[in-house]
Amino acid sequence: MRFLGIDLGTASLKLAIVDEDGHERAFASAAYAVTTPHPGWAETPVDAWWNALRDAAARLPANECEAVGAIGFSGQMHGVVIADENNRALRPAMLWPDTRALDLLDAWGSPQPNPVAPGMAGPLLRWLAVNEPAVMSKTRWALQPKDWLRTALGGEVCTDPSDACATALAAPSGVWDDALIAEIGLRREWFAPLAPSYAAAGTLNADAAKLLGLRAGIVLAVGAGDTACAALGSGLCSDGDALLTTGSGGQIVVMSTDVPESVIGLHAYRAATDQWYRMAAMQNVGVALEAVRGWLGYDNWPSAYEDAFSAAPSARVTFLPYLSGERSPWMNPSARGGWLGLGLGDTRGTMMRAAFEGVAFALRAGLDAIRGNAGPSAAVRTLRLAGGGSIDPRWRELLADALNADLQAVDCPNAATRGAAILGGIAVGHWHAVDLAALAPSATLVASPNANADLAVRHARFIDLYQRNASWF
């Protein structure tokens, strides 16, 4: 038997088929654009997701598709799809980078069990209730992205704790907060019932089976948020296991057997299994480095890496990477970035090097918040490493030095998609919780921290400059 994982990401949809031992046998993906019809908006029409699913499925080997016996789902977190009683989307999906609801966060007050960001489903739905009442009058369901997709394929209408707890409308356990939902003017009946991420939730219908080149009747697992799926796919299953992902943003995830205490600037979410995870979520990793590469006129990444790591580090030049605000640990959506300390003799290599260090220091700020507040299980001296933005060995070494942690590259290029497939296998009884440790992919030590006093001085300067300039944002 084979298991298909579907990962509905922000900019692309990924498919992976894994075998009975959890090994990837086939992979395909298709990209789509995030649209910005107005400054600060981030949307995608659901038709783009559907077309990407069709295109990616067409690239999978037919013989592997014939053996698929279950499908699991991973999805970008926080966003929302507004749908009618037939699961027809009433407007484009609203996504996590969206900031239009920034002025509507007052309803949540402080402190909250989890930090509230404008791109979460709660604030976005509040914005819709105020600004698009005609759409909301037709609404039957307010679904997370992966839940809309599963339902469109024939699955039951439901969601899982890992996604629900990240909407700003539920307790950390994922249970809907009925009082808060009513207080901000939303309807409780819009929100799907809860089910475990690994539960069966319907079967693939005939139309969807034809679209995917699969047989009808395949079991559909509920699925989980992409961070929870990436942790599962990367082999995090024990208390204190930690993962660093670097993509457009960055996440540091630390598993916990018990519910983590509430800490300002950090998230405590449900995992794809019956565990929890502590997370520091940094918005400005790949997105900041890509912007810098463009500003400095590098045509490709190899030349940018070469210039940056050939340049001697500058004790004067510091780059604050907060080009789109920041979540962990600062929770400052107004934060902005740039270089400080530039002189006439500095080169673009100096500036690119400072950008890499600035991003590494931003990740360190999130990790320090975990280390300082999350208990003995979060000492975090080793991080599993995933994400396409962490391949270059010089960048990995800088990360290890800045984070003061060993980095182990996970032998799993598509962790969230693999995690989704594993949920499908659990839904049909092929795997159980006791099997998860044995399913963990291998990991190779790729970088260890070196005592670097000069880097420590530059890190201290970075923190000082952010704190002194925060009042300007």
Side-chain angles (χ1 to χ4, degrees):
M1 184 183 290
R2 300 287 191 262
F3 307 99
L4 174 65
I6 300 177
D7 178 27
L8 178 60
T10 307
S12 66
L13 182 143
K14 305 175 184 69
L15 304 177
I17 296 176
V18 304
D19 62 20
E20 296 90 339
D21 298 317
H23 299 138
E24 185 178 297
R25 300 296 295 262
F27 177 81
S29 66
Y32 36 78
V34 174
T35 62
T36 308
H38 303 283
W41 292 27
E43 300 184 343
T44 299
V46 297
D47 287 349
W49 295 343
W50 195 256
N51 293 336
L53 179 62
R54 177 200 62 209
D55 294 345
R59 302 187 187 107
L60 293 174
N63 64 310
E64 295 291 343
C65 291
E66 291 171 358
V68 170
I71 301 173
F73 296 83
S74 163
Q76 53 179 297
M77 296 170 68
H78 304 310
V80 65
V81 180
I82 303 302
D84 65 14
E85 65 276 6
N86 297 314
N87 201 45
R88 182 176 65 90
L90 298 174
R91 66 176 322 286
M94 303 167 77
L95 311 181
W96 65 269
D98 200 300
T99 59
R100 76 185 78 179
L102 181 60
D103 295 332
L104 298 176
L105 303 184
D106 57 293
W108 280 266
S110 182
Q112 286 291 315
N114 275 306
V116 179
M120 291 179 172
L124 292 174
L125 287 166
R126 192 181 186 205
W127 186 93
L128 286 172
V130 172
N131 293 278
E132 297 185 10
V135 170
M136 300 311 289
S137 69
K138 303 173 185 176
T139 297
R140 176 61 186 91
W141 297 110
L143 299 173
Q144 274 49 75
K146 66 100 170 52
D147 297 321
W148 176 85
L149 183 61
R150 186 194 60 254
T151 305
L153 293 174
E156 299 171 2
V157 177
C158 59
T159 193
D160 78 297
S162 78
D163 247 348
C165 71
T167 62
L169 295 171
S173 64
V175 175
W176 295 115
D177 187 335
D178 293 357
L180 176 59
I181 289 170
E183 181 182 341
I184 63 177
L186 307 180
R187 296 181 183 175
R188 175 62 178 84
E189 60 266 25
W190 290 341
F191 300 97
L194 286 174
S197 304
Y198 47 80
T203 58
L204 191 68
N205 65 31
D207 289 341
K210 183 176 180 181
L211 178 86
L212 296 177
L214 303 174
R215 60 177 175 83
I218 292 173
V219 169
L220 305 176
V222 174
D226 54 2
T227 300
C229 279
L232 177 61
S234 298
L236 273 64
C237 57
S238 300
D239 195 51
D241 286 352
L243 176 72
L244 167 63
T245 61
T246 56
S248 297
Q251 296 84 35
I252 298 173
V253 173
V254 182
M255 297 298 292
S256 177
T257 302
D258 302 316
V259 55
E261 293 182 7
S262 178
V263 175
I264 294 174
L266 297 176
H267 302 266
Y269 287 155
R270 288 301 299 269
T273 55
D274 295 323
Q275 296 171 293
W276 300 78
Y277 66 91
R278 164 78 72 204
M279 180 176 71
M282 286 64 64
Q283 292 186 180
N284 298 274
V285 179
V287 67
L289 292 174
E290 183 62 42
V292 170
R293 184 180 73 86
W295 292 338
L296 298 180
Y298 290 107
D299 293 332
N300 54 65
W301 272 110
S303 59
Y305 276 113
E306 188 60 34
D307 249 15
F309 290 102
S310 296
S314 171
R316 291 179 295 98
V317 180
T318 301
F319 179 73
L320 298 177
Y322 303 122
L323 307 183
S324 59
E326 190 52 285
R327 288 170 64 183
S328 301
W330 314 121
M331 297 310 298
N332 185 355
S334 300
R336 291 297 178 264
W339 288 271
L340 295 168
L342 284 173
L344 290 175
D346 291 317
T347 66
R348 67 173 182 166
T350 305
M351 298 171 73
M352 194 74 227
R353 169 71 186 226
F356 279 112
E357 289 196 354
V359 167
F361 294 154
L363 291 168
R364 169 68 180 270
L367 180 56
D368 280 350
I370 291 176
R371 285 170 168 160
N373 294 283
S377 67
V380 190
R381 293 292 174 253
T382 299
L383 288 157
R384 288 198 160 212
L385 185 63
S390 54
I391 301 301
D392 188 278
R394 296 163 295 186
W395 174 222
R396 287 175 167 177
E397 185 55 48
L398 174 58
L399 284 172
D401 289 348
L403 299 174
N404 191 29
D406 289 329
L407 299 182
Q408 297 179 343
V410 179
D411 186 18
C412 176
N414 307 296
T417 322
R418 180 178 185 266
I422 290 173
L423 292 175
I426 296 174
V428 294
H430 178 74
W431 291 305
H432 300 87
V434 296
D435 301 317
L436 296 182
L439 286 174
S442 60
T444 303
L445 179 66
V446 293
S448 293
N450 297 301
N452 188 329
D454 291 339
L455 185 69
V457 170
R458 296 195 295 276
H459 170 249
R461 172 178 165 81
F462 172 92
I463 298 298
D464 178 62
L465 286 172
Y466 170 78
Q467 293 174 337
R468 284 197 286 145
N469 288 286
S471 61
W472 297 359
F473 304 142

